[in-house]
Amino acid sequence: PRLLITMAAASALTLPPDCGIATWRAGPSLVRVELDRGGKLNALTRSMWEALDAVLEDTNDALLITSGDAKAFSAGADVNAVASEPVDERRDFLRLEYETLEKLQERDAPTVAVADGLAFGAGAGVFMACDERIVTERSRLAMPECRIGIVPDAGALRFLTKHCEPAVARYLALTGVPLNAHDLYRTGLATRYVPDKEDLGLDQLYAELSSAPAGELATPLDRRGVDAPRRLESGLFNEATLQAVRDAFEKGTSVDA
């Protein structure tokens, strides 16, 4: 489907300088939101969730969510900071996290997320909540909480069932297996693969999105997006293994995690 963006102008949004998120107007009706905590793989803090929530409340424009971290989109919630808080504040943190993800997913204006690096836990939640989900060769997504018996966090159950076929969603929710760009594209968790090389790189995509006519974002996304290359195929989600997953969760046979 084509992505239309609104003509509404966003007001200037002033965020605390140390909140871990920067925003600026990137185009006629496009606001760029950059996760940039300055280290710790953009582990999401309370101030980062509050800033993202403020952005969602402040503007009706399309959003381009990126990362300023060299290695990660976001490695998930800052669990050490949350663990040090009183129980009531932990509940409040989780409520803020889920309400912000709900606003992001239900947003009328288009949202584009670029995970050029790690997207784990709550970071994967932010990525999966967006309409357009762009990956590169460096992308890795995982829900490590599954590996210790915790239900997938940060809206992951909802997003998995929205983007993936039922058997694949169940498999990922139970195993938390890490996915590369090919896996993400094949399962539907990513909508586009963008080679980050030469004139096909992300910088060129960002420039084209910023200069796109005020009516749409689809043209530069279509131009820059390609199929994930076969050389990235992990063997996890080729046709044979996909069928094994379907058999396991639809017919009751077994499958190796």
Side-chain angles (χ1 to χ4, degrees), residues 221-241:
L221 289 170
D222 287 342
R223 182 186 300 119
R224 293 297 164 188
V226 299
D227 289 340
R230 289 291 300 273
R231 62 184 172 77
L232 295 181
E233 185 175 305
S234 65
L236 181 62
F237 286 109
N238 56 36
E239 191 53 42
T241 54

Side-chain angles (χ1 to χ4, degrees), residues 35-124:
L35 310 179
D36 192 1
R37 185 178 170 182
K40 297 191 176 180
L41 302 178
N42 277 339
L44 294 163
T45 62
R46 181 184 296 273
S47 63
M48 293 175 76
W49 284 113
E50 290 172 343
L52 180 56
D53 182 69
V55 172
L56 296 173
E57 291 289 338
D58 181 78
T59 177
N60 294 320
D61 290 321
L63 300 180
L64 171 61
I65 304 178
T66 63
S67 169
D69 190 277
K71 296 181 179 179
F73 178 73
S74 171
D78 188 338
V79 293
N80 290 330
V82 176
S84 66
E85 295 179 343
V87 172
D88 288 347
E89 291 186 19
R90 294 181 209 171
R91 293 195 188 102
D92 182 66
F93 177 89
L94 292 174
R95 186 179 298 109
L96 171 65
E97 177 183 283
Y98 274 78
E99 289 178 351
T100 304
L101 287 169
E102 179 77 9
K103 291 177 185 178
L104 181 59
Q105 185 191 31
E106 297 298 328
R107 190 174 178 80
D108 290 332
T111 51
V112 180
V114 180
D116 181 32
L118 306 178
F120 289 177

Side-chain angles (χ1 to χ4, degrees), residues 164-175:
C164 304
E165 60 180 278
V168 172
R170 294 187 187 105
Y171 176 72
L172 295 177
L174 288 172
T175 64

